Coordinates of all heavy atoms in Angstrom, one line a residue:
M1 N -48.0 -199.2 71.9 CA -47.5 -198.6 70.6 C -46.8 -199.8 69.8 O -46.0 -200.6 70.5 CB -46.4 -197.6 71.0 CG -45.8 -197.0 69.8 SD -44.5 -195.7 70.1 CE -45.6 -194.3 70.1
P2 N -47.1 -199.9 68.5 CA -46.5 -201.0 67.7 C -45.0 -200.8 67.6 O -44.5 -199.7 67.6 CB -47.2 -200.9 66.4 CG -47.8 -199.6 66.4 CD -48.0 -199.1 67.7
Y3 N -44.4 -201.9 67.3 CA -42.9 -201.9 67.2 C -42.6 -201.1 65.9 O -43.3 -201.2 64.8 CB -42.3 -203.2 66.9 CG -41.0 -203.4 66.5 CD1 -39.9 -203.0 67.5 CD2 -40.5 -203.7 65.2 CE1 -38.6 -203.1 67.1 CE2 -39.2 -203.7 64.9 CZ -38.2 -203.4 65.8 OH -36.9 -203.4 65.5
S4 N -41.6 -200.2 65.9 CA -41.2 -199.4 64.8 C -39.8 -199.6 64.5 O -38.9 -199.1 65.3 CB -41.4 -197.9 65.2 OG -41.0 -197.1 64.1
P5 N -39.3 -200.4 63.6 CA -38.0 -200.6 63.3 C -37.2 -199.3 63.1 O -37.6 -198.4 62.4 CB -37.9 -201.4 62.0 CG -39.3 -201.9 61.8 CD -40.2 -200.9 62.5
G6 N -36.1 -199.3 63.7 CA -35.2 -198.0 63.6 C -35.5 -197.0 64.7 O -34.7 -196.0 64.7
R7 N -36.5 -197.1 65.4 CA -36.8 -196.1 66.4 C -37.0 -196.7 67.8 O -37.8 -196.3 68.7 CB -38.1 -195.3 66.0 CG -37.8 -194.4 64.9 CD -39.0 -193.6 64.6 NE -39.9 -194.4 63.8 CZ -41.0 -194.0 63.2 NH1 -41.4 -192.7 63.4 NH2 -41.8 -194.7 62.6
S8 N -36.1 -197.7 68.1 CA -36.0 -198.3 69.4 C -34.7 -198.9 69.6 O -33.9 -199.2 68.6 CB -37.1 -199.3 69.6 OG -37.0 -200.3 68.7
G9 N -34.3 -199.2 70.8 CA -33.0 -199.9 71.0 C -31.8 -198.9 71.2 O -31.9 -197.7 71.1
T10 N -30.7 -199.6 71.4 CA -29.5 -198.9 71.8 C -28.9 -198.0 70.6 O -28.6 -196.8 70.7 CB -28.3 -199.8 72.3 OG1 -28.8 -200.5 73.4 CG2 -27.1 -199.0 72.7
A11 N -29.0 -198.6 69.4 CA -28.5 -197.9 68.2 C -29.3 -196.6 68.1 O -28.8 -195.5 67.7 CB -28.5 -198.7 67.0
W12 N -30.6 -196.6 68.2 CA -31.4 -195.5 68.0 C -31.2 -194.5 69.1 O -31.1 -193.2 68.8 CB -33.0 -195.9 67.9 CG -33.9 -194.7 67.9 CD1 -34.8 -194.3 69.0 CD2 -34.0 -193.8 67.0 NE1 -35.4 -193.2 68.6 CE2 -35.0 -192.8 67.4 CE3 -33.4 -193.6 65.7 CZ2 -35.4 -191.7 66.6 CZ3 -33.7 -192.5 64.9 CH2 -34.7 -191.5 65.4
S13 N -31.0 -194.9 70.3 CA -30.8 -194.0 71.4 C -29.4 -193.2 71.2 O -29.3 -192.0 71.4 CB -30.7 -194.7 72.8 OG -31.9 -195.3 73.0
L14 N -28.6 -193.9 70.7 CA -27.2 -193.3 70.4 C -27.2 -192.3 69.3 O -26.6 -191.3 69.3 CB -26.1 -194.4 70.1 CG -25.6 -195.2 71.3 CD1 -24.8 -196.4 70.9 CD2 -25.0 -194.4 72.5
L15 N -28.0 -192.7 68.3 CA -28.2 -191.8 67.1 C -29.0 -190.5 67.6 O -28.6 -189.4 67.1 CB -28.9 -192.5 65.9 CG -29.1 -191.7 64.7 CD1 -27.9 -191.1 64.1 CD2 -29.9 -192.5 63.7
R16 N -30.0 -190.7 68.4 CA -30.8 -189.5 68.8 C -29.8 -188.5 69.6 O -29.9 -187.3 69.5 CB -31.9 -189.9 69.7 CG -33.1 -190.5 69.0 CD -34.2 -190.9 69.9 NE -34.8 -189.7 70.4 CZ -35.0 -189.5 71.8 NH1 -34.5 -190.4 72.7 NH2 -35.5 -188.5 72.2
A17 N -29.1 -189.2 70.5 CA -28.2 -188.3 71.3 C -27.2 -187.6 70.5 O -26.9 -186.5 70.8 CB -27.4 -189.2 72.3
R18 N -26.7 -188.2 69.4 CA -25.7 -187.5 68.4 C -26.4 -186.4 67.7 O -25.9 -185.4 67.6 CB -25.2 -188.5 67.5 CG -24.2 -188.0 66.6 CD -23.5 -189.1 65.7 NE -22.7 -188.5 64.7 CZ -22.3 -189.0 63.6 NH1 -22.6 -190.4 63.3 NH2 -21.6 -188.4 62.7
V19 N -27.6 -186.6 67.3 CA -28.4 -185.6 66.6 C -28.6 -184.4 67.5 O -28.3 -183.2 67.1 CB -29.7 -186.1 65.9 CG1 -30.5 -184.9 65.4 CG2 -29.4 -187.1 64.8
F20 N -29.0 -184.6 68.7 CA -29.3 -183.6 69.7 C -28.0 -182.9 70.0 O -28.0 -181.6 70.3 CB -29.9 -184.2 71.0 CG -31.3 -184.8 70.8 CD1 -31.8 -185.7 71.6 CD2 -32.1 -184.4 69.7 CE1 -33.1 -186.3 71.5 CE2 -33.4 -184.9 69.5 CZ -33.9 -185.8 70.5
A21 N -26.8 -183.6 70.1 CA -25.6 -182.9 70.5 C -25.1 -182.0 69.3 O -24.4 -181.1 69.6 CB -24.5 -183.9 70.9
E22 N -25.2 -182.5 68.0 CA -24.7 -181.8 66.9 C -25.5 -180.7 66.3 O -25.0 -179.9 65.5 CB -24.3 -182.9 65.8 CG -23.2 -183.9 66.2 CD -23.1 -185.0 65.2 OE1 -23.8 -185.1 64.2 OE2 -22.2 -185.7 65.4
E23 N -26.8 -180.7 66.6 CA -27.6 -179.6 65.8 C -28.4 -178.8 66.9 O -28.7 -179.2 67.9 CB -28.6 -180.4 65.0 CG -27.9 -181.2 63.9 CD -28.8 -181.8 62.8 OE1 -30.0 -181.3 62.7 OE2 -28.5 -182.9 62.2
A24 N -28.6 -177.6 66.5 CA -29.4 -176.7 67.4 C -30.6 -176.1 66.8 O -31.4 -175.5 67.6 CB -28.4 -175.5 67.7
C25 N -30.8 -176.2 65.5 CA -31.9 -175.6 64.8 C -32.8 -176.7 64.1 O -32.3 -177.7 63.6 CB -31.5 -174.6 63.8 SG -30.8 -173.1 64.6
C26 N -34.1 -176.4 64.0 CA -35.0 -177.3 63.3 C -34.8 -177.2 61.9 O -34.7 -176.2 61.3 CB -36.4 -176.9 63.6 SG -37.7 -177.8 62.7
W27 N -34.6 -178.3 61.3 CA -34.2 -178.3 59.9 C -35.5 -178.0 58.9 O -35.3 -177.7 57.8 CB -33.6 -179.7 59.5 CG -34.5 -180.8 59.0 CD1 -35.4 -181.6 59.9 CD2 -34.9 -181.2 57.8 NE1 -36.1 -182.4 59.2 CE2 -35.8 -182.3 57.9 CE3 -34.4 -180.9 56.5 CZ2 -36.2 -183.0 56.8 CZ3 -34.9 -181.6 55.4 CH2 -35.8 -182.7 55.6
I28 N -36.6 -178.0 59.5 CA -37.9 -177.7 58.8 C -38.2 -176.2 58.8 O -38.3 -175.6 57.8 CB -39.0 -178.5 59.3 CG1 -38.7 -180.0 59.2 CG2 -40.3 -178.2 58.6 CD1 -39.6 -181.0 59.9
C29 N -38.2 -175.6 60.0 CA -38.6 -174.2 60.1 C -37.3 -173.3 60.2 O -37.4 -172.0 60.3 CB -39.6 -173.9 61.2 SG -38.9 -174.1 62.9
H30 N -36.2 -173.9 60.5 CA -34.9 -173.1 60.7 C -34.8 -172.3 61.9 O -34.0 -171.4 62.0 CB -34.6 -172.3 59.4 CG -34.7 -173.1 58.2 ND1 -34.0 -174.1 57.8 CD2 -35.6 -172.9 57.2 CE1 -34.3 -174.6 56.7 NE2 -35.3 -173.9 56.2
Q31 N -35.6 -172.6 62.9 CA -35.7 -171.8 64.2 C -35.0 -172.7 65.2 O -34.9 -174.0 65.1 CB -37.1 -171.6 64.7 CG -37.8 -170.7 63.7 CD -37.3 -169.3 63.5 OE1 -36.9 -168.8 64.4 NE2 -37.1 -168.9 62.2
W32 N -34.4 -172.0 66.3 CA -33.7 -172.7 67.3 C -34.6 -173.7 68.1 O -35.8 -173.4 68.3 CB -33.1 -171.6 68.3 CG -32.4 -172.2 69.5 CD1 -31.2 -172.8 69.5 CD2 -32.9 -172.2 70.8 NE1 -30.9 -173.1 70.8 CE2 -31.9 -172.7 71.7 CE3 -34.1 -171.7 71.4 CZ2 -32.1 -172.9 73.0 CZ3 -34.3 -171.8 72.8 CH2 -33.2 -172.4 73.6
V33 N -34.1 -174.8 68.6 CA -34.9 -175.8 69.3 C -34.5 -175.8 70.8 O -33.3 -176.0 71.0 CB -34.7 -177.3 68.7 CG1 -35.4 -178.2 69.6 CG2 -35.2 -177.2 67.2
D34 N -35.3 -175.4 71.7 CA -35.0 -175.4 73.1 C -34.9 -177.0 73.6 O -36.1 -177.5 73.8 CB -36.0 -174.7 73.9 CG -35.7 -174.6 75.5 OD1 -34.8 -175.4 75.9 OD2 -36.4 -173.8 76.1
Q35 N -33.8 -177.5 73.8 CA -33.7 -178.9 74.0 C -34.0 -179.3 75.5 O -34.0 -180.4 75.9 CB -32.4 -179.4 73.6 CG -32.1 -179.3 72.1 CD -31.0 -180.1 71.6 OE1 -30.7 -181.2 72.0 NE2 -30.3 -179.6 70.5
A36 N -34.3 -178.2 76.3 CA -34.7 -178.5 77.7 C -36.2 -178.6 78.0 O -36.6 -178.9 79.0 CB -34.1 -177.3 78.5
L37 N -37.0 -178.4 76.9 CA -38.4 -178.5 77.0 C -38.8 -179.9 77.2 O -38.2 -180.8 76.8 CB -39.1 -177.9 75.7 CG -39.0 -176.5 75.5 CD1 -39.6 -176.2 74.1 CD2 -39.8 -175.7 76.5
P38 N -39.9 -180.1 78.0 CA -40.4 -181.5 78.2 C -40.9 -182.1 76.8 O -41.3 -181.4 76.0 CB -41.6 -181.3 79.1 CG -41.9 -179.9 79.1 CD -40.8 -179.1 78.6
R39 N -40.8 -183.5 76.7 CA -41.0 -184.2 75.5 C -42.4 -183.9 74.9 O -42.6 -184.1 73.7 CB -40.7 -185.6 75.4 CG -40.3 -186.4 76.4 CD -40.1 -187.9 76.2 NE -40.3 -188.5 74.9 CZ -39.8 -189.7 74.6 NH1 -39.1 -190.3 75.6 NH2 -40.0 -190.2 73.5
T40 N -43.3 -183.6 75.7 CA -44.7 -183.5 75.3 C -45.0 -182.1 74.6 O -46.0 -181.8 74.1 CB -45.7 -183.8 76.4 OG1 -45.4 -183.0 77.5 CG2 -45.6 -185.2 76.8
H41 N -44.0 -181.2 74.9 CA -44.3 -179.8 74.4 C -44.1 -179.8 72.9 O -43.3 -180.4 72.3 CB -43.2 -178.9 75.0 CG -43.4 -177.5 74.8 ND1 -43.2 -176.8 73.7 CD2 -43.9 -176.5 75.7 CE1 -43.5 -175.5 73.8 NE2 -43.9 -175.3 75.0
P42 N -45.0 -179.0 72.2 CA -45.0 -179.0 70.7 C -43.7 -178.5 70.2 O -43.3 -178.8 69.0 CB -46.2 -178.1 70.4 CG -46.8 -177.5 71.6 CD -46.1 -178.1 72.8
M43 N -43.0 -177.7 70.9 CA -41.7 -177.2 70.4 C -40.5 -177.9 70.8 O -39.4 -177.5 70.8 CB -41.6 -175.7 70.7 CG -42.7 -174.8 70.1 SD -42.8 -175.0 68.3 CE -41.5 -174.0 67.7
S44 N -40.7 -179.1 71.5 CA -39.5 -179.9 72.0 C -38.8 -180.5 70.9 O -39.2 -180.5 69.8 CB -40.1 -180.9 73.0 OG -40.9 -181.9 72.3
R45 N -37.7 -181.1 71.2 CA -36.8 -181.7 70.2 C -37.3 -183.2 69.8 O -37.8 -183.9 70.6 CB -35.4 -181.8 70.8 CG -35.3 -182.8 71.9 CD -33.9 -182.7 72.5 NE -33.8 -183.7 73.6 CZ -32.7 -183.9 74.3 NH1 -31.6 -183.2 74.0 NH2 -32.6 -184.8 75.2
T46 N -37.1 -183.4 68.5 CA -37.3 -184.7 68.0 C -36.2 -185.0 66.9 O -35.6 -184.0 66.4 CB -38.7 -185.0 67.4 OG1 -38.9 -184.1 66.3 CG2 -39.8 -184.7 68.3
V47 N -36.2 -186.2 66.5 CA -35.3 -186.5 65.3 C -36.3 -186.9 64.2 O -37.1 -187.7 64.3 CB -34.3 -187.7 65.7 CG1 -33.6 -188.1 64.4 CG2 -33.4 -187.3 66.7
D48 N -36.0 -186.2 63.1 CA -36.9 -186.4 61.9 C -36.1 -187.1 60.8 O -34.8 -186.8 60.7 CB -37.4 -185.0 61.3 CG -38.4 -185.2 60.2 OD1 -39.1 -186.2 60.1 OD2 -38.3 -184.3 59.3
H49 N -36.7 -188.0 60.2 CA -36.0 -188.8 59.0 C -36.4 -188.0 57.8 O -37.4 -187.7 57.5 CB -36.5 -190.3 58.9 CG -36.0 -191.1 60.0 ND1 -36.7 -191.3 61.2 CD2 -34.9 -191.9 60.1 CE1 -36.1 -192.1 62.0 NE2 -35.0 -192.5 61.3
I50 N -35.3 -187.6 57.1 CA -35.4 -186.8 55.8 C -36.2 -187.7 54.8 O -37.3 -187.2 54.3 CB -34.0 -186.5 55.3 CG1 -33.3 -185.6 56.3 CG2 -34.2 -185.8 53.9 CD1 -31.8 -185.3 55.9
V51 N -35.7 -188.8 54.6 CA -36.5 -189.8 53.7 C -37.3 -190.7 54.7 O -36.7 -191.3 55.5 CB -35.6 -190.7 52.8 CG1 -36.5 -191.6 52.0 CG2 -34.8 -189.8 51.8
Q52 N -38.6 -190.5 54.8 CA -39.4 -191.1 55.8 C -39.3 -192.6 55.7 O -39.0 -193.2 54.6 CB -40.8 -190.7 55.7 CG -41.1 -189.2 55.9 CD -42.5 -188.8 55.6 OE1 -43.4 -189.6 55.7 NE2 -42.7 -187.5 55.6
L53 N -39.3 -193.2 56.9 CA -39.1 -194.7 57.0 C -40.2 -195.4 56.0 O -39.9 -196.4 55.4 CB -39.3 -195.2 58.4 CG -38.3 -194.6 59.4 CD1 -38.5 -195.2 60.8 CD2 -36.8 -194.8 58.8
S54 N -41.5 -194.9 56.0 CA -42.5 -195.4 55.2 C -42.2 -195.3 53.7 O -42.7 -196.1 52.9 CB -43.9 -194.7 55.5 OG -43.8 -193.4 55.1
D55 N -41.2 -194.5 53.3 CA -40.8 -194.3 51.9 C -39.5 -195.1 51.6 O -38.8 -194.9 50.6 CB -40.7 -192.8 51.5 CG -42.0 -192.1 51.5 OD1 -43.0 -192.7 51.3 OD2 -41.9 -190.9 51.8
G56 N -39.0 -195.8 52.6 CA -37.9 -196.6 52.5 C -36.5 -196.1 53.0 O -35.4 -196.5 52.7
G57 N -36.7 -194.9 53.8 CA -35.5 -194.3 54.3 C -34.7 -195.1 55.2 O -35.3 -195.9 56.0
P58 N -33.4 -195.1 55.3 CA -32.6 -195.8 56.2 C -32.8 -195.4 57.7 O -32.7 -194.2 58.0 CB -31.2 -195.6 55.8 CG -31.2 -194.4 55.0 CD -32.5 -194.2 54.4
P59 N -33.3 -196.2 58.6 CA -33.7 -195.8 59.9 C -32.5 -195.3 60.7 O -32.7 -194.4 61.7 CB -34.4 -197.0 60.5 CG -33.9 -198.2 59.7 CD -33.6 -197.6 58.4
L60 N -31.3 -195.8 60.6 CA -30.2 -195.5 61.6 C -29.0 -194.8 60.8 O -27.9 -194.8 61.2 CB -29.8 -196.8 62.2 CG -30.8 -197.5 63.1 CD1 -30.3 -198.9 63.7 CD2 -31.2 -196.6 64.2
D61 N -29.3 -194.2 59.7 CA -28.2 -193.5 59.0 C -28.2 -192.1 59.4 O -29.3 -191.4 59.4 CB -28.6 -193.6 57.4 CG -27.5 -192.9 56.6 OD1 -26.5 -192.3 57.2 OD2 -27.7 -193.0 55.4
R62 N -27.1 -191.6 59.9 CA -27.1 -190.2 60.4 C -27.3 -189.2 59.4 O -27.9 -188.2 59.6 CB -25.6 -190.0 61.1 CG -25.3 -188.5 61.5 CD -26.3 -188.2 62.6 NE -26.0 -186.8 63.0 CZ -26.7 -185.7 62.6 NH1 -27.7 -185.9 61.8 NH2 -26.5 -184.5 63.1
A63 N -27.0 -189.5 58.2 CA -27.2 -188.6 57.0 C -28.7 -188.4 56.8 O -29.1 -187.5 56.1 CB -26.5 -189.1 55.7
N64 N -29.5 -189.4 57.3 CA -31.0 -189.3 57.0 C -31.8 -188.7 58.3 O -32.9 -188.6 58.2 CB -31.5 -190.7 56.7 CG -33.0 -190.6 56.2 OD1 -33.4 -189.8 55.3 ND2 -33.8 -191.6 56.6
C65 N -31.0 -188.3 59.2 CA -31.7 -187.8 60.4 C -31.3 -186.4 60.8 O -30.1 -186.0 60.8 CB -31.2 -188.7 61.7 SG -31.9 -190.5 61.5
R66 N -32.3 -185.6 61.1 CA -32.1 -184.2 61.4 C -33.0 -183.8 62.7 O -34.0 -184.4 62.9 CB -32.5 -183.3 60.3 CG -31.7 -183.5 59.0 CD -30.3 -183.1 59.1 NE -30.0 -181.7 59.5 CZ -29.9 -180.7 58.7 NH1 -30.0 -180.8 57.5 NH2 -29.7 -179.6 59.3
L67 N -32.5 -182.8 63.4 CA -33.3 -182.2 64.5 C -34.5 -181.4 64.0 O -34.4 -180.8 63.0 CB -32.3 -181.2 65.3 CG -33.0 -180.6 66.5 CD1 -33.2 -181.6 67.6 CD2 -32.0 -179.6 67.1
A68 N -35.6 -181.6 64.7 CA -36.8 -181.0 64.3 C -37.7 -180.7 65.6 O -37.6 -181.4 66.6 CB -37.6 -181.8 63.3
H69 N -38.4 -179.6 65.5 CA -39.4 -179.4 66.5 C -40.6 -180.5 66.5 O -40.8 -181.0 65.4 CB -40.2 -178.1 66.4 CG -39.4 -176.9 66.6 ND1 -39.1 -176.0 65.7 CD2 -38.9 -176.4 67.7 CE1 -38.3 -175.0 66.1 NE2 -38.2 -175.2 67.4
R70 N -41.1 -181.0 67.6 CA -42.2 -181.9 67.6 C -43.2 -181.5 66.6 O -43.8 -182.4 65.8 CB -42.7 -182.2 68.9 CG -43.7 -183.3 69.1 CD -43.9 -183.6 70.5 NE -42.7 -184.2 71.2 CZ -42.3 -185.4 70.9 NH1 -42.9 -186.3 70.1 NH2 -41.2 -185.9 71.6
R71 N -43.7 -180.3 66.7 CA -44.7 -179.8 65.9 C -44.5 -179.8 64.4 O -45.3 -180.3 63.5 CB -45.2 -178.4 66.3 CG -46.3 -177.8 65.4 CD -46.7 -176.5 65.9 NE -45.6 -175.6 65.6 CZ -45.5 -174.3 66.2 NH1 -46.6 -173.8 67.0 NH2 -44.6 -173.5 66.0
C72 N -43.3 -179.4 64.0 CA -42.8 -179.3 62.6 C -42.7 -180.8 62.1 O -43.2 -181.1 61.0 CB -41.4 -178.7 62.5 SG -41.5 -176.9 62.9
N73 N -42.2 -181.7 62.8 CA -42.0 -183.1 62.6 C -43.4 -183.7 62.3 O -43.6 -184.4 61.3 CB -41.2 -183.8 63.6 CG -40.8 -185.1 63.2 OD1 -41.2 -185.7 62.1 ND2 -39.9 -185.8 63.9
G74 N -44.3 -183.4 63.2 CA -45.6 -184.0 63.0 C -46.4 -183.4 61.8 O -47.1 -184.2 61.2
Q75 N -46.3 -182.1 61.5 CA -46.9 -181.6 60.4 C -46.3 -182.1 59.1 O -47.0 -182.4 58.2 CB -46.9 -180.1 60.5 CG -47.7 -179.4 61.5 CD -47.4 -177.9 61.6 OE1 -46.5 -177.4 61.0 NE2 -48.4 -177.3 62.3
R76 N -45.1 -182.2 59.0 CA -44.4 -182.8 57.8 C -44.7 -184.3 57.6 O -44.8 -184.7 56.5 CB -42.8 -182.7 58.0 CG -42.1 -183.1 56.8 CD -40.6 -183.0 57.0 NE -39.9 -183.6 55.9 CZ -39.5 -184.8 55.9 NH1 -39.8 -185.7 57.0 NH2 -38.9 -185.3 54.9
A77 N -44.9 -185.0 58.6 CA -45.3 -186.4 58.6 C -46.5 -186.7 57.8 O -46.7 -187.8 57.2 CB -45.4 -187.1 59.9
H78 N -47.4 -185.7 57.7 CA -48.6 -185.9 57.0 C -48.6 -185.3 55.5 O -49.6 -185.3 54.9 CB -49.7 -185.2 57.7 CG -49.9 -185.8 59.1 ND1 -50.2 -187.0 59.4 CD2 -49.7 -185.2 60.4 CE1 -50.2 -187.2 60.7 NE2 -49.8 -186.1 61.3
K79 N -47.5 -184.8 55.0 CA -47.4 -184.2 53.7 C -46.2 -184.8 53.0 O -45.1 -184.9 53.6 CB -47.2 -182.7 53.9 CG -48.4 -182.0 54.6 CD -48.2 -180.6 54.6 CE -49.3 -179.9 55.5 NZ -48.9 -178.5 55.7
P80 N -46.3 -185.2 51.8 CA -45.1 -185.6 51.0 C -44.2 -184.4 50.7 O -44.7 -183.3 50.6 CB -45.7 -186.3 49.8 CG -47.0 -185.5 49.6 CD -47.5 -185.2 51.0
G81 N -43.0 -184.7 50.4 CA -42.1 -183.6 49.9 C -41.2 -183.1 51.1 O -41.4 -183.3 52.2
A82 N -40.2 -182.3 50.7 CA -39.2 -181.8 51.6 C -39.7 -180.5 52.2 O -40.5 -179.9 51.7 CB -37.9 -181.6 50.9
P83 N -39.1 -180.1 53.3 CA -39.4 -178.8 53.9 C -38.9 -177.6 53.0 O -38.2 -177.9 52.0 CB -38.7 -178.7 55.2 CG -37.5 -179.7 55.0 CD -38.0 -180.8 54.1
R84 N -39.3 -176.5 53.3 CA -38.9 -175.2 52.6 C -37.4 -175.0 52.6 O -36.9 -175.4 53.6 CB -39.7 -174.0 53.0 CG -39.4 -173.6 54.3 CD -40.3 -172.5 54.8 NE -40.2 -172.2 56.1 CZ -39.4 -171.2 56.7 NH1 -38.8 -170.5 55.8 NH2 -39.3 -171.0 57.9
P85 N -36.8 -174.6 51.5 CA -35.4 -174.3 51.6 C -35.0 -173.3 52.6 O -35.7 -172.4 53.0 CB -35.0 -174.0 50.2 CG -36.3 -173.5 49.7 CD -37.4 -174.1 50.3
R86 N -33.8 -173.4 53.1 CA -33.2 -172.4 54.0 C -33.1 -171.2 53.3 O -32.6 -171.1 52.2 CB -31.8 -173.0 54.6 CG -31.2 -171.9 55.5 CD -29.8 -172.5 56.0 NE -30.0 -173.7 56.8 CZ -30.2 -173.6 58.1 NH1 -30.3 -172.5 58.8 NH2 -30.4 -174.7 58.8
P87 N -33.4 -170.0 54.0 CA -33.4 -168.8 53.3 C -31.9 -168.4 53.2 O -31.1 -168.7 54.0 CB -34.1 -167.8 54.2 CG -34.1 -168.5 55.6 CD -34.1 -170.0 55.3
T88 N -31.6 -167.6 52.1 CA -30.2 -167.1 51.9 C -30.2 -165.6 51.9 O -31.2 -165.0 51.7 CB -29.6 -167.5 50.5 OG1 -30.5 -167.0 49.5 CG2 -29.6 -169.1 50.4
Y89 N -29.2 -165.1 52.4 CA -29.0 -163.7 52.6 C -27.8 -163.2 51.8 O -26.8 -163.8 51.8 CB -28.8 -163.3 54.0 CG -29.9 -163.8 54.9 CD1 -29.8 -165.0 55.6 CD2 -31.1 -163.1 55.0 CE1 -30.9 -165.5 56.3 CE2 -32.2 -163.6 55.7 CZ -32.0 -164.8 56.4 OH -33.1 -165.2 57.1
T90 N -27.8 -162.1 51.1 CA -26.8 -161.4 50.3 C -26.5 -160.1 50.8 O -27.4 -159.4 51.4 CB -27.0 -161.4 48.9 OG1 -28.2 -160.7 48.6 CG2 -27.2 -162.8 48.3
V91 N -25.2 -159.8 50.9 CA -24.8 -158.4 51.3 C -24.0 -157.8 50.2 O -23.1 -158.5 49.6 CB -24.0 -158.5 52.7 CG1 -23.5 -157.1 52.9 CG2 -24.8 -159.1 53.7
R92 N -24.3 -156.6 49.8 CA -23.5 -155.9 48.8 C -22.1 -155.7 49.3 O -21.9 -155.3 50.5 CB -24.1 -154.5 48.4 CG -25.4 -154.7 47.7 CD -25.9 -153.4 47.2 NE -25.6 -152.1 48.1 CZ -26.4 -151.7 49.0 NH1 -27.5 -152.4 49.3 NH2 -26.0 -150.8 49.8
A93 N -21.1 -156.0 48.6 CA -19.7 -155.8 49.0 C -19.4 -154.4 49.4 O -18.7 -154.1 50.3 CB -18.8 -156.2 47.8
S94 N -20.1 -153.4 48.8 CA -19.8 -152.0 49.1 C -20.4 -151.6 50.5 O -20.0 -150.7 51.2 CB -20.5 -151.1 48.1 OG -21.9 -151.3 48.1
A95 N -21.3 -152.5 51.0 CA -21.9 -152.3 52.3 C -20.9 -152.7 53.4 O -21.1 -152.4 54.7 CB -23.2 -153.0 52.6
L96 N -19.9 -153.5 53.1 CA -18.9 -154.0 54.1 C -17.9 -153.0 54.3 O -17.2 -152.4 54.8 CB -18.3 -155.3 53.6 CG -19.2 -156.4 53.4 CD1 -18.5 -157.6 52.7 CD2 -19.9 -156.9 54.7

């Protein structure tokens, strides 16, 4: 595997551990990520760069890294643009 700046070394390992500890849902599909799955499983955890490294995104900036399913991350890597927005829910005040 070729060298990938920002995705190797101690700084990257610490950043990955921080993302895994701080987040529980995939930022792309908004579903829970089972962090106990083996790394080869399509729904396992990965860290996705919001602004992709190939587009000049900062590799070790926590603000540019989010938790994602391996499958979601892989599908997004082949398409430009951001993931769909998080759904919003409204409740009528009279229903409370």
Side-chain angles (χ1 to χ4, degrees):
M1 176 181 273
Y3 173 72
S4 179
R7 287 185 279 186
S8 62
T10 303
W12 173 244
S13 295
L14 292 172
L15 178 59
R16 283 181 70 236
R18 183 174 170 198
V19 171
F20 294 158
E22 293 176 353
E23 299 185 27
C25 292
C26 174
W27 84 286
I28 299 169
C29 73
H30 311 294
Q31 300 298 313
W32 178 72
V33 177
D34 183 350
Q35 296 197 36
L37 290 172
R39 5 178 2 162
T40 56
H41 192 282
M43 299 304 281
S44 66
R45 65 186 183 176
T46 63
V47 173
D48 185 30
H49 288 89
I50 299 168
V51 178
Q52 296 179 15
L53 300 181
S54 60
D55 293 333
L60 298 174
D61 182 358
R62 174 62 179 99
N64 191 43
C65 295
R66 298 295 306 269
L67 181 67
H69 291 113
R70 179 168 301 284
R71 180 179 62 193
C72 296
N73 193 347
Q75 290 174 346
R76 180 177 173 274
H78 304 294
K79 298 177 187 170
R84 64 187 171 95
R86 179 178 293 272
T88 58
Y89 303 97
T90 57
V91 177
R92 292 187 325 270
S94 61
L96 300 174

